[in-house]
Amino acid sequence: MSLYFGDIVPYLPVMLKALWVSIYVTLISFAAGSVLGIFIYLAKSSRFKVLQLISNGYIEVIRNTPLLVQLYLIYFGLGSIGINFNPLWSVLIGMTLNNSAYTAEIFRAGISAVPKGLREAGTALGMPFHQTFRYVMLKPGIRNVLPALTNQFIVLFLFSSVGSVISLDELTSILQNLNSQTLRTLEIFSVGAVLYYLTSAVIAFGSRMTEKFAFRW
Amino acid sequence: MDFVQFLPPLLRGAGLTLVIVVAAGVLGSLIGIVLGTAKASPSWIARAISSIYVNFLRGVPILIILLFAYFALPLILPSLTFSRGFTAVMGLSVYAGAYIAEIVRGSIQAVPKGQSEAAEALGMHYFMRLRYVISPQAMKIAVPPGIGFLIALVKASSLVSVIGFVDLTRAGRIVTTINQQPLLTFLIVGALYFAISYPISLLGRWYERKLA
């Protein structure tokens, strides 16, 4: 066994292009999932029992089943009853729904960790709830939520590799193709692993810097 | 109802999912305890080595680790043959080790410093302090995040289906090729995962309430 990386150098642009697919799938589904997550969080903390029940059930079901099975349900399951999505849309929908359950919990934990006194102080000053929320609770809330959110972003990015199973051409899928084309197994997968690692390390570094410099109020 | 006929293979798959999760959980805990203790240790060499392992593996998808184990292990050790179950458990354990190490490190460091200092003042050696003072307290702190990771491991274990191990997910795929009812089949598969994972999360919540 000897390592030779020369053979895979020509494929590097292909890999980087596939890495970009992984990244943008993650970006889109993270953004959409976070927005959805806010609504699920609002439903969960609302006064209405029905909304609480539905949002809670949604969160528990999504958080206790694998993303792969969720993707199979969307891609094969819905496909079998005539609702067809291509792999890209299946992955986007699946990852968005998956992410929304996790971000909803992150928002809930972050906002409920804001000291109760702040909210009471806002009420005592005669501010209606939406003002208390906007001007008093939002900033500490964001500060509580941000580390967990960026962590979730990295987790989502790593799990975008699952998209390869339903033949979305992202990095993992391209690595498997290149593996069977070049038979440079060790080299292909180690370069792929390094690409994933570097990307998540850059995200982690970016989030640490944001926490350090953007939230010094 | 014909799905009754497809339930036994799915249940068998669920059983195998449980087996590999337990095996990888135990092996991963061993790796994680050693590396996590090393990461919280005063020796910089131990910290550096464990940090490289933990940081790298936490930045790589479990699917890549499993594919690497599946395709590359036979190339690195050509004289040995690995069963798919073995490869699956190895990949999951290596993955779990990295995450559990972080949990162990965090728990050790969450024990108040005075505890370790008091033990040192009593003349206890580093390993004695770890054994009799730090670890009993750290273990309690490690339980909630440990349970959280166990749930993540159950879900991540679905990816061993990609390297051909017949776990619950793979059993579901096989069943759909026969009954042509992916919607129903994967709903059952999802329900079975839920049945494995939800009791674990309830256990975690119960424990946290007990602590509080």
Side-chain angles (χ1 to χ4, degrees), chain B residues 2-13 175 188 192:
Chain B
D2 71 342
F3 80 79
V4 175
Q5 156 195 2
F6 293 111
L7 218 46
L10 292 181
L11 286 175
R12 204 183 105 84
V175 164
I188 298 172
L192 287 172

Side-chain angles (χ1 to χ4, degrees), chain A residues 65-68 159 162, chain B residues 17 20-21 61-63 66 88 92 95-96 99 149-162 167 169 193:
Chain A
T65 50
L67 175 62
L68 180 54
F159 273 94
V162 178
Chain B
T17 285
I20 56 164
V21 167
I62 172 64
L63 185 52
L66 286 168
L92 285 177
Y95 170 77
Y99 283 83
F149 180 71
L150 188 61
I151 296 168
L153 190 62
V154 170
K155 289 179 288 176
S157 80
S158 66
L159 289 167
V160 302
S161 64
V162 178
D167 72 327
T169 305
Y193 271 109

Side-chain angles (χ1 to χ4, degrees), chain A residues 1 60 63-66 68-69 72-73 76-77 80 102 158 161 164-165 175-176 185-186 189 193 196-197 200, chain B residues 55-56 58-61 63-64 68 71-72 75 155 158 161-162 169 173 182-183 186 190 193-194 197-198 205:
Chain A
M1 184 195 81
E60 294 294 352
R63 283 166 53 105
N64 285 297
T65 50
L68 180 54
V69 173
Y72 276 159
L73 266 174
F76 296 120
S80 72
Y102 289 91
L158 296 181
S161 62
S164 65
V165 181
L175 293 176
Q176 284 176 273
T185 305
L186 287 173
F189 282 111
Y196 271 111
Y197 170 71
S200 53
Chain B
N55 289 345
F56 185 70
R58 278 165 54 102
V60 176
L63 185 52
I64 292 285
F68 193 87
F71 288 117
L75 295 177
K155 289 179 288 176
S158 66
S161 64
V162 178
T169 305
R173 285 285 278 148
L183 190 62
F186 286 119
Y193 271 109
F194 189 83
S197 156
Y198 191 58
R205 241 169 277 170

Side-chain angles (χ1 to χ4, degrees), chain A residues 140-152:
Chain A
I142 291 175
R143 192 166 40 186
N144 288 344
V145 157
L146 200 76
L149 271 188
T150 49
N151 190 41
Q152 167 64 16

Side-chain angles (χ1 to χ4, degrees), chain B residues 59-134:
Chain B
V60 176
I62 172 64
L63 185 52
I64 292 285
I65 298 172
L66 286 168
L67 288 172
F68 193 87
Y70 182 64
F71 288 117
L73 265 188
L75 295 177
I76 298 170
L77 299 164
S79 53
L80 299 173
T81 47
F82 300 98
S83 75
R84 287 181 168 149
F86 180 83
T87 312
V89 170
M90 280 303 123
L92 285 177
S93 305
V94 163
Y95 170 77
Y99 283 83
I100 295 171
E102 265 308 283
I103 294 172
V104 170
R105 181 199 57 78
S107 309
I108 289 177
Q109 287 173 349
V111 175
K113 226 179 161 193
Q115 296 284 324
S116 181
E117 287 166 355
E120 199 177 355
L122 290 174
M124 285 170 90
H125 185 260
Y126 175 71
F127 287 103
M128 269 175 85
R129 296 204 297 269
L130 211 54
R131 165 74 186 79
Y132 294 104
V133 181
I134 308 292

Side-chain angles (χ1 to χ4, degrees), chain B residues 41-52:
Chain B
S41 82
S43 147
W44 70 268
I45 291 193
R47 280 206 307 271
I49 293 172
S50 53
S51 291
I52 290 171

